[in-house]
Amino acid sequence: MNDSFLHDCLFFTANRLGRAITKMAEEEFAPTGLTPMYGYLIRLVNGAPGISQKELSEKLSITPSTLTRFIDKLEGKQLVERKGQGKTVHVYPTPKGEQLEETIRAASKRLHQRYERILGADFAKQLGINIESASEQLEKN
């Protein structure tokens, strides 16, 4: 059977890459007790206390409704808190969320080192640049 169409299909290859990197990220973030997305969300909140939900959803490239679910979960774990200011909702870290910063940074660093060991630092960096550029172009259309 000719399966070459799979290797020429950006949809298939991007999803395959996504599954591989997600598995690695989940393994490296396991010590934090958080998924990688929750970890990166907390890093953003810790780095910019009072960041708006709108800005967070844009930075993470997720829908506002998905972000709301994530924040609900993190509030339940007492890692972030929301404060309304008119129609805008701002997200702040809690002391418990701030305490996780170094653990999350270490997980992120381990992930980065792991895929650089496999791919090579230059290739990994260029791949990230290319994926970012392609994502931006595809999102415009």
Side-chain angles (χ1 to χ4, degrees):
M1 178 201 307
N2 184 358
D3 63 358
S4 64
F5 67 94
L6 294 175
H7 306 289
D8 297 331
C9 176
L10 186 56
F11 171 79
F12 180 78
T13 56
N15 276 290
R16 183 177 175 193
L17 174 64
R19 287 188 301 275
I21 196 71
T22 297
K23 181 179 185 287
M24 290 172 65
E26 288 172 347
E27 290 168 1
E28 297 303 336
F29 273 78
T32 70
L34 299 168
T35 67
M37 187 61 91
Y38 287 142
Y40 288 120
L41 196 159
I42 289 173
R43 278 192 68 185
L44 287 171
V45 172
N46 284 347
I51 189 170
S52 72
Q53 283 195 195
K54 182 179 189 295
E55 191 174 354
L56 278 170
S57 69
E58 289 169 359
K59 286 183 180 292
L60 292 169
S61 299
I62 58 176
T63 64
S65 62
T66 299
L67 178 69
T68 297
R69 286 195 315 274
F70 286 175
I71 292 173
D72 287 346
K73 186 90 161 182
L74 292 175
E75 268 191 323
K77 293 177 180 263
Q78 299 176 335
L79 298 173
V80 300
E81 62 183 351
R82 282 181 271 215
K83 294 181 183 174
Q85 189 175 36
K87 290 184 176 184
T88 305
V89 177
H90 298 274
V91 184
Y92 295 86
T94 65
K96 189 175 173 184
E98 290 172 335
Q99 288 173 348
L100 279 176
E101 181 73 19
E102 288 309 310
T103 306
I104 293 167
R105 281 181 181 267
S108 182
K109 185 176 182 177
R110 284 191 311 273
L111 173 62
H112 190 85
Q113 291 170 336
R114 186 172 167 185
Y115 65 72
E116 275 191 347
R117 270 193 315 273
I118 296 166
L119 299 173
D122 291 340
F123 182 76
K125 182 175 180 145
Q126 192 58 51
L127 181 61
I129 291 167
N130 290 345
I131 291 171
E132 179 81 16
S133 176
S135 296
E136 288 173 4
Q137 289 178 50
L138 291 170
E139 288 168 351
K140 285 180 186 175
N141 293 316

